[in-house]
């Protein structure tokens, strides 16, 4: 007898018990709560021939961009190949196979069509949304969700994730008022909706509404951080507000507490930690042994990276810790990736390799060389993924490199650009005044 999920999709190989376990795993996944991978493994144990359970296990592995996650996802794909029985499952399988083999854009394209044909497949929408983020496609982050929204009603399980994802896509497209409205609506529909919390956090940072941002994040942090897989990243956003206000002690307390206190051994939170320490370093803050601890953890990430965005952040850590051997090793890996094929070759060649070289040059005191590498790549930096907030570290590095070379025209130009984008940022005002002083100083 065929078993169906809550939206009426046939589930090949499922039993009623396994279907219920599967729905629980998906609920954890869409809320970024607990251990959805463990939940999906219980599902497979209950029904070993459950095709979508194997596919979902693959998605859960690969979406963290861990090197071993890609290998695990390929194994899940192989296990699911003889099990799939519907067109929807075959589309998921094809997309998973593409991403597990490093073809980000191809996976996103397959999921785009799948979501057109099955707009109430929330897993496909969520994974597609993440892939759009990984490739820096802001328009698809917005439009993938907008296409499906009319097919949903608020009473459907998981609906809250739709406006939360749409809010993030709107924010990355610069539609801040609409993004904030959608994000706050999602948070009201499902208190503790961590992706909605994240989307509104982005809006408030982009608009320089720093005290509002702190209030938004600190009003009831247990609501969005308890057992949340997004807690570290959302605390990172909180730290950025304090950093812009010059509240360095608060930033270090957050770093040593919820951001890095548990020393998470995974690439995405390690990237957040590296980006925060790098921002502090640009300001001249002595972070002590924090760089060395972080670099040691980066060195333990298992396997060869297949996502160059992570490699660029690893280089920050190695440069900060004074590990030229690991810096050189990571640069060599990026050079090899750039000569290859697939999505990571594009990520590496177009953006990550020049960015990583710029970080290395900055660490060596070659500030002019760092600026020369960053200036042409910043306008296309979205091509290797991440958000505006994450890629802002490139602009900040370029500005500081201009300051340290006393390049008045460059400092004036890039701080003027930043002031136009962030007119309410105290730190931007400070940098703009500093650039003016350099540009007008007698030679």
């Amino acid at each position: 007898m065929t078993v169906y999920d809550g939206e009426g999709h046939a589930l090949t190989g499922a039993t009623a018990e396994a279907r219920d376990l599967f729905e629980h795993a998906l609920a954890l996944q869409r809320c970024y709560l607990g251990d959805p991978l463990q939940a999906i493994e219980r599902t497979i144990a209950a029904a070993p021939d459950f095709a979508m359970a194997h596919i979902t296990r693959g998605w859960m592995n690969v979406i963290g961009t861990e090197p071993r996650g890609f290998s695990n996802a390929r194994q899940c794909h192989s296990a699911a190949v003889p099990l799939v029985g519907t067109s929807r499952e075959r589309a998921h399988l094809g997309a998973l196979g593409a991403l597990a083999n490093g073809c980000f854009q191809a996976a996103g394209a397959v999921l785009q069509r799948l979501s057109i044909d099955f707009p109430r497949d929330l897993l496909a929408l969520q994974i597609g949304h993440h892939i759009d983020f990984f490739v820096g496609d802001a328009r698809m982050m917005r439009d993938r969700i907008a296409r499906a929204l009319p097919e949903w009603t608020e009473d459907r399980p998981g609906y809250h994730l739709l406006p939360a994802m749409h809010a993030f896509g709107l924010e990355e497209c610069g539609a801040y008022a609409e993004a904030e409205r959608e994000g706050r609506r999602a948070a009201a529909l499902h208190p503790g909706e961590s992706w909605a919390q994240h989307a509104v956090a982005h809006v408030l940072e982009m608009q320089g509404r720093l005290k509002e941002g702190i209030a938004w994040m600190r009003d009831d942090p247990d609501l969005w951080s308890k057992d949340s897989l997004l807690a570290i990243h959302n605390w990172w956003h909180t730290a950025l507000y304090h950093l812009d206000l010059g509240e360095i002690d608060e930033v270090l307390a957050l770093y040593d507490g919820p951001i890095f206190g548990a020393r998470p051994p995974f690439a995405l939170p390690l990237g957040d930690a590296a980006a925060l320490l790098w921002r502090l370093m640009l300001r001249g803050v002595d972070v002590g042994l924090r760089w060395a601890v972080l670099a040691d953890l980066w060195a333990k990430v298992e396997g060869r990276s297949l996502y160059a965005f992570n490699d660029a952040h690893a280089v920050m850590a190695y440069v900060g810790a004074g590990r030229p051997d690991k810096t050189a090793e990571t640069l060599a890996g990026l050079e090899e990736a750039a000569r290859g094929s697939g999505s990571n070759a594009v990520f590496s060649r177009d953006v990550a390799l020049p960015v990583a070289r710029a970080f290395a040059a900055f660490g060596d005191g070659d500030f002019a060389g760092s600026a020369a590498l960053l200036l042409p790549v910043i306008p296309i930096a979205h091509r290797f993924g991440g958000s505006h907030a994450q890629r802002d570290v490139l602009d900040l590095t370029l500005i500081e490199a201009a300051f340290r070379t006393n390049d008045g025209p460059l400092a004036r130009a890039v701080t003027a650009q930043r002031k136009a984008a962030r007119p309410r940022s105290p730190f931007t005002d400070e940098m703009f005044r500093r650039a003016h002083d350099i540009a007008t100083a007698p030679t």
Side-chain angles (χ1 to χ4, degrees):
M1 186 176 75
T2 303
V3 174
Y4 297 87
D5 68 14
E7 293 298 339
H9 304 123
L11 298 173
T12 303
T15 63
E17 176 196 4
R19 185 267 318 281
D20 293 343
L21 291 169
F22 182 63
E23 295 283 4
H24 173 65
L26 291 182
L28 294 177
Q29 172 73 14
R30 65 178 172 249
C31 292
Y32 304 95
L33 284 176
D35 192 344
L37 187 56
Q38 185 181 76
I40 202 67
E41 287 170 350
R42 286 198 298 269
T43 306
I44 293 171
D49 294 334
F50 188 169
M52 277 304 301
H54 287 280
I55 291 168
T56 301
R57 183 175 182 270
W59 283 134
M60 290 176 178
N61 269 278
V62 77
I63 211 67
T65 70
E66 291 292 312
R68 64 180 175 271
F70 285 88
S71 174
N72 290 342
R74 288 193 291 273
Q75 293 174 15
C76 295
H77 177 269
S78 296
V81 167
L83 304 177
V84 296
T86 70
S87 62
R88 185 180 76 95
E89 292 168 349
R90 282 190 290 274
H92 266 285
L93 183 69
L96 174 63
L99 187 59
N101 286 286
C103 298
F104 286 68
Q105 286 88 351
V110 173
L111 289 175
Q112 179 184 171
R113 183 66 218 195
L114 193 161
S115 293
I116 290 169
D117 293 335
F118 300 93
R120 292 200 297 273
D121 184 336
L122 188 51
L123 177 64
L125 288 166
Q126 186 178 23
I127 299 299
H129 185 67
H130 279 289
I131 292 172
D132 295 335
F133 169 76
F134 291 141
V135 304
D137 191 339
R139 177 170 176 171
M140 274 308 301
M141 285 178 65
R142 178 195 67 191
D143 292 352
R144 183 185 299 269
I145 309 305
R147 291 170 178 173
L149 272 169
E151 307 302 322
W152 286 75
T153 54
E154 290 187 5
D155 61 329
R156 290 185 178 277
Y159 170 82
H160 57 87
L161 183 58
L162 271 292
M165 292 190 292
H166 193 218
F168 189 38
L170 286 164
E171 180 275 325
E172 288 296 291
C173 289
Y176 297 133
E178 296 91 335
E180 183 175 0
R181 182 172 62 249
E182 283 287 86
R184 290 184 183 273
R185 182 168 76 90
L189 285 167
H190 189 84
E193 165 55 79
S194 55
W195 199 251
Q197 190 79 25
H198 169 254
V200 175
H202 272 268
V203 171
L204 298 175
E205 187 199 344
M206 290 298 104
Q207 293 188 316
R209 295 159 58 190
L210 308 175
K211 292 188 182 297
E212 288 180 70
I214 292 170
W216 170 248
M217 303 305 284
R218 290 190 177 273
D219 179 51
D220 188 359
D222 282 349
L223 192 64
W224 54 260
S225 66
K226 189 175 181 180
D227 295 326
S228 173
L229 300 172
L230 276 177
I232 288 173
H233 187 64
N234 276 335
W235 280 118
W236 179 83
H237 278 286
T238 309
L240 295 188
Y241 299 129
H242 288 291
L243 185 60
D244 207 336
L245 290 168
E247 297 169 352
I248 303 302
D249 288 345
E250 290 284 354
V251 176
L252 291 173
L254 286 169
Y255 182 90
D256 293 336
I259 294 173
F260 199 66
R263 298 185 181 181
F266 305 111
L268 294 181
L270 291 179
D272 283 342
L276 189 56
L277 290 187
W278 189 268
R279 284 165 166 84
L280 288 164
M281 178 272 292
L282 292 175
R283 292 190 178 213
V285 177
D286 181 1
V287 299
L289 295 175
R290 294 178 180 88
W291 274 128
V293 173
L294 177 60
D296 285 345
L297 281 173
W298 266 114
K300 292 177 182 177
V301 173
E302 296 179 17
R304 167 87 178 277
S305 170
L306 292 173
Y307 185 48
F309 186 83
N310 293 340
D311 295 295
H313 284 77
V315 168
M316 288 186 208
Y318 296 141
V319 169
R323 305 275 177 87
D325 56 331
K326 295 299 294 182
T327 300
E329 179 184 317
T330 309
L331 286 170
L334 281 168
E335 289 165 357
E336 182 180 347
R339 293 191 295 269
S341 59
S343 299
N344 201 46
V346 178
F347 301 153
S348 302
R349 184 173 58 248
D350 288 0
V351 184
L353 183 54
V355 161
R357 286 171 173 165
F359 291 149
F362 194 100
D364 289 339
D366 180 9
F367 304 119
S370 182
L373 286 161
L374 288 171
L375 191 60
V377 82
I378 284 175
I380 60 167
H382 63 278
R383 294 181 187 173
F384 87 145
S387 66
H388 295 304
Q390 289 173 308
R391 295 189 299 267
D392 188 45
V393 73
L394 308 183
D395 296 80
L396 293 170
T397 304
L398 174 60
I399 290 168
E400 187 59 28
F403 288 156
R404 297 192 188 190
T405 56
N406 285 313
D407 187 337
L410 178 59
R412 184 71 166 166
V414 292
T415 55
Q417 169 195 323
R418 186 179 184 81
K419 187 170 176 60
R422 299 181 181 223
R424 300 173 63 180
S425 162
F427 184 52
T428 297
D429 289 342
E430 177 187 327
M431 290 190 293
F432 186 73
R433 288 191 295 269
R434 185 178 170 192
H436 174 79
D437 292 343
I438 294 172
T440 59
T443 58

